Amino acid sequence: MKRTLPVVGMACAACSAHVEKKLNSLEGVHSASVNLPGRSAWIDYDPETISPAQMKRAINDIGYDLIIDEDTSAAAIERREFQRLKRQTLLSWGFSVAVMAVSMHWIPLGNAFPSNLAAMLLTVMNMVICGRQFYVSAWRQTLHASANMDSLVALSTLIAFLFSVFNTFLGDAVWTARGMAWNTYFDASVMIITFVLTGRMLEEKARDGVASSIRQLMGLSPKTAHIVGEDGKTREVPVSTIEVDDELEVRTGEKVPVDGIVTRAQSFMNAEAAYVDESMITGEPLPVEKKAGDRALAGTIPSQGIFHIRARQIGEETALAQIIRMVQQAQGSKAPVQRIVDKAAGIFVPVVCLLALLTFVLWLVIGGTPLLPQAILSAISVLVIACPCAMGLATPTALMVGIGKAADQQILIKDATALERMRRVNVMVTDKTGTLTIPNQQIDFTRAGDLPLEERETLKPNAREAMQQLQKEGIEVYMMSGDHDEAARYWATKAGIAHYQSKVLPQDKENLVRRLQQEGKTVAMVGDGINDTQALALADVSIAIGRGTDVAMDVAQVTLMGDDLRALPQALALSRRTVSMIWQNLFWAFIYNIVSIPLAAGALHLIGIDFQITPMWASALMACSGLSVVLNSLRLKWTK
């Protein structure tokens, strides 16, 4: 069984890596992939060996939660969590302003209540009320011999706080007695928490746009339907109560609740037909005529008329539900580069802790006890500025946006590997009947005087434009047809295709794909029938036409839901842009950490430059780095 379940409590790449590792370690789980920006886990498991409740308990043990109740809305949980995060952030800013006010003596408190003591109490309140989640999470991670972003935040703020408490009560006795000045750093503790919370809140808000495609698809499913009783009267019922063979009435403007067969239809234009807008599923702009015996799909909307349907596929079996599931699984899949990033994220936090310790030791070696405050602050800055979030979000965020944008254009991509491979395609092999031409129509090749061929126009709209665009981009196109030579040449010419083969069998299509691959080409195969499945299975990228056979769609990695073949060059262009965005994100994420960690450690002091990133600014930069990756990925949504 395969399911996509929401995960609560993940904050960085290390979190998603821990959840994924735990799920994959469970007996009965065949494979699991965790999507950080999507806050979800795609799990393939044996229900006879392990249940969702057992998986939930295992995830709870390591400090996270798996939502297994189908009645619990993941969107509602996310909204509730965002509101809680928003309240914490605003309150933390209030504590930050108060701590700064007393620390900088903007508010005179007098000798009866020293400013350091007031700052300490305010900081404790901020850590307990607003930052409690960091310490709870860090403790749970420690119990399981692991660490994540929360561990860095908890460790850095505790060090700054404890050092400040020490100075508050023993500063004069220890430092002043030795002729050394001392300070407290309560403002650093409180500002680190504030900036991290602010960054997460902004990141969550921006991430809301990343998952918009899935929400739009889910929004196509109505909550209620009109069921026709034995007495012929209709009543409104929840969609979840509909059973196979129930008769349903669908009115103008309502959404079809399930997949079914039309039993009767009427409209003011036609006494025996209604007209349905299927553009949200197929991308076709014109309403489709529906008569008795025709199939109606869940999520489509009658634009004219009223009709009855007999329920055939309900719940998770509808075409819309399968599309949603395919997009979710694709967004949760991992590109090859993500495997490398996951391994890096797994050791990132421990490495940062070692770098912070090394920074502390080096400062003490260089300057001894007088530089102890500098050593502590430098170590704190290193802990805070390091950001596994940016690195962990770089790939999955771009993938979610890219695959979601493809779904908006009626291009369904099964996994990240297919999306990554499409950018390298330089040869496309296409079937003719049902792919380039409209099925179930024939051509009369009888000679008529000197007019060379009589024909009825059956080439799909925009097919020639699509083929020309592909070839303009340097992609060779081959048309494969079972027709005789004259017909194959005719249709190849009509479609603007230079290379074609006639009288081909399924094995011939497979042989062509294999030969092109042996020549070092990256081959995409486009087809719609059972006779295309051999070639589809062998191709580097397999593309099925959505109105083709279920077998072809099952084999294919990419499915075009409509008949507009311009989606082919669009899919390839989107692949190139998405992969380019992934590498941009990874580049800046790695550059950020490579540059910022030495600056936070105070490396410039070694060459005589008196500059260093303080803990407060380190937390601000860390928050901005993760947010920048999400915002950069969102640019894909507005790319034409």
Side-chain angles (χ1 to χ4, degrees):
M1 180 178 287
K2 299 176 181 179
R3 290 184 66 183
T4 299
L5 299 173
V7 182
V8 177
M10 296 191 299
C12 68
C15 297
S16 59
H18 294 157
V19 175
E20 185 172 296
K21 182 179 179 181
K22 185 65 176 179
L23 286 171
N24 281 307
S25 70
L26 299 176
E27 183 180 359
V29 175
H30 304 311
S31 63
S33 178
V34 176
N35 185 349
L36 175 60
R39 302 299 195 267
S40 62
W42 180 83
I43 310 170
D44 182 3
Y45 67 99
D46 180 3
E48 295 184 1
T49 306
I50 189 170
S51 67
Q54 290 172 309
M55 290 187 278
K56 178 182 176 72
R57 286 194 294 271
I59 296 305
N60 287 343
D61 288 343
I62 60 172
Y64 307 96
D65 194 15
L66 199 65
I67 306 302
I68 62 173
D69 186 357
E70 294 183 357
D71 295 330
T72 302
S73 168
I77 294 173
E78 289 178 354
R79 286 194 298 270
R80 186 167 63 247
E81 287 295 307
F82 179 77
Q83 292 301 321
R84 181 186 62 81
L85 181 59
K86 185 177 179 180
R87 289 193 298 270
Q88 286 181 322
T89 303
L90 293 175
L91 185 58
S92 189
W93 272 109
F95 282 122
S96 297
V97 172
V99 169
M100 292 292 290
V102 297
S103 298
M104 303 298 290
H105 302 289
W106 297 339
I107 301 176
L109 298 177
N111 294 329
F113 198 73
S115 59
N116 282 340
L117 190 59
M120 182 184 73
L121 294 176
L122 288 169
T123 302
V124 168
M125 293 172 65
N126 186 64
M127 294 169 76
V128 172
I129 298 174
C130 302
R132 180 177 64 254
Q133 66 198 55
F134 299 118
Y135 306 105
V136 172
S137 174
W139 176 247
R140 287 177 175 172
Q141 297 299 318
T142 303
L143 292 177
H144 290 87
S146 59
N148 60 9
M149 187 68 210
D150 292 340
S151 305
L152 297 180
V153 174
L155 186 59
S156 59
T157 53
L158 280 174
I159 291 173
F161 176 76
L162 293 175
F163 184 56
S164 299
V165 170
F166 176 87
N167 285 350
T168 297
F169 294 104
L170 299 175
D172 288 335
V174 175
W175 307 116
T176 305
R178 290 174 170 78
M180 297 169 57
W182 56 271
N183 292 294
T184 57
Y185 305 97
F186 295 116
D187 54 346
S189 288
V190 74
M191 287 305 297
I192 288 171
I193 291 174
T194 301
F195 276 127
V196 172
L197 289 174
T198 301
R200 288 190 181 178
M201 183 186 73
L202 295 175
E203 190 178 298
E204 288 292 317
K205 187 65 176 177
R207 191 179 64 82
D208 191 53
V210 173
S212 61
S213 297
I214 283 290
R215 284 198 305 275
Q216 289 172 5
L217 286 171
M218 289 180 170
L220 296 177
S221 302
K223 304 299 182 185
T224 60
H226 293 102
I227 191 168
V228 181
E230 294 181 359
D231 57 359
K233 296 182 179 180
T234 62
R235 68 181 190 280
E236 191 170 357
V237 298
V239 169
S240 58
T241 64
I242 295 175
E243 298 180 354
V244 174
D245 285 334
D246 280 348
E247 185 177 357
L248 307 170
E249 182 178 271
V250 188
R251 304 162 183 171
T252 300
E254 295 180 346
K255 294 173 183 175
V256 178
V258 297
D259 291 357
I261 303 298
V262 177
T263 56
R264 59 181 175 135
Q266 65 178 37
S267 67
F268 71 87
M269 294 178 62
N270 192 326
E272 296 182 352
Y275 297 86
V276 179
D277 180 2
E278 294 185 339
S279 60
M280 64 288 297
I281 301 294
T282 66
E284 302 298 333
L286 298 178
V288 179
E289 184 181 79
K290 295 292 181 181
K291 295 181 178 179
D294 289 340
R295 187 184 182 197
L297 298 176
T300 58
I301 303 173
S303 55
Q304 289 182 26
I306 185 172
F307 60 89
H308 286 199
I309 64 171
R310 185 74 63 187
R312 285 292 178 259
Q313 284 80 36
I314 62 175
E316 294 297 312
E317 300 303 317
T318 66
L320 177 60
Q322 292 177 41
I323 290 172
I324 293 172
R325 187 161 57 248
M326 183 185 292
V327 175
Q328 286 178 324
Q329 290 177 4
Q331 290 183 329
S333 63
K334 295 182 183 292
V337 68
Q338 183 65 24
R339 307 292 177 183
I340 302 173
V341 175
D342 286 347
K343 291 180 180 179
I347 61 171
F348 187 88
V349 174
V351 168
V352 170
C353 291
L354 288 176
L355 289 175
L357 179 61
L358 180 62
T359 299
F360 175 78
V361 172
L362 286 177
W363 273 107
L364 287 185
V365 170
I366 292 171
T369 304
L371 289 184
L372 178 61
Q374 176 68 41
I376 292 176
L377 289 180
S378 298
I380 292 172
S381 295
V382 170
L383 289 172
V384 172
I385 206 166
C387 187
C389 295
M391 188 169 60
L393 289 168
T395 299
T397 305
L399 283 175
M400 282 193 71
V401 177
I403 291 172
K405 185 175 177 65
D408 291 341
Q409 298 175 344
Q410 285 73 48
I411 303 169
L412 301 184
I413 301 174
K414 278 190 177 179
D415 56 48
T417 301
L419 181 68
E420 197 275 337
R421 280 182 184 169
M422 278 195 293
R423 73 186 177 96
R424 299 198 299 268
V425 167
N426 47 29
V427 177
M428 186 169 289
V429 178
T430 176
D431 175 49
K432 179 181 75 68
T433 305
T435 302
L436 288 174
T437 61
I438 298 174
N440 302 323
Q441 293 194 23
Q442 301 295 326
I443 286 190
D444 181 5
F445 281 94
T446 303
R447 298 277 181 179
D450 295 330
L451 299 167
L453 294 173
E454 288 186 10
E455 47 104 356
R456 289 175 297 189
E457 184 59 64
T458 59
L459 189 71
K460 286 187 177 180
N462 305 312
R464 183 179 178 87
E465 180 185 346
M467 297 302 109
Q468 289 177 334
Q469 182 63 35
L470 288 170
Q471 293 171 91
K472 182 180 178 181
E473 294 175 2
I475 297 172
E476 294 181 77
V477 180
Y478 289 77
M479 187 193 80
M480 305 292 283
S481 174
D483 282 341
H484 55 79
D485 291 337
E486 189 177 14
R489 180 172 63 253
Y490 173 81
W491 285 116
T493 302
K494 287 282 288 184
I497 299 173
H499 307 288
Y500 66 91
Q501 288 186 20
S502 60
K503 300 179 181 179
V504 298
L505 298 174
Q507 186 62 47
D508 298 320
K509 297 179 182 180
E510 180 184 353
N511 290 339
L512 175 62
V513 172
R514 181 177 286 107
R515 177 173 66 79
L516 292 169
Q517 289 174 328
Q518 290 171 348
E519 293 174 3
K521 305 292 180 61
T522 301
V523 184
M525 174 67 195
V526 187
D528 77 318
I530 294 175
N531 62 343
D532 299 318
T533 54
Q534 290 175 243
L536 286 168
L538 181 63
D540 297 288
V541 178
S542 50
I543 304 173
I545 304 300
R547 292 183 177 177
T549 64
D550 291 339
V551 175
M553 293 175 63
D554 287 341
V555 172
Q557 299 165 308
V558 180
T559 299
L560 307 185
M561 293 303 295
D563 280 329
D564 192 342
L565 295 180
R566 289 178 299 179
L568 290 171
Q570 289 173 0
L572 300 184
L574 184 60
S575 167
R576 291 191 291 271
R577 292 191 181 112
T578 302
V579 174
S580 174
M581 187 66 70
I582 289 172
W583 285 109
Q584 284 180 35
N585 287 344
L586 286 173
F587 173 80
W588 289 115
F590 278 105
I591 288 296
Y592 164 81
N593 285 297
I594 290 171
V595 172
S596 63
I597 290 176
L599 290 177
L604 291 181
H605 286 282
L606 298 177
I607 58 175
I609 300 178
D610 187 18
F611 173 81
Q612 184 175 2
I613 300 175
T614 65
M616 183 176 72
W617 289 112
S619 59
L621 289 171
M622 184 274 292
C624 290
S625 65
L627 177 63
S628 66
V629 167
V630 178
L631 292 177
N632 189 46
S633 298
L634 282 172
R635 291 196 299 117
L636 278 171
K637 288 178 69 70
W638 301 293
T639 300
K640 292 185 179 180

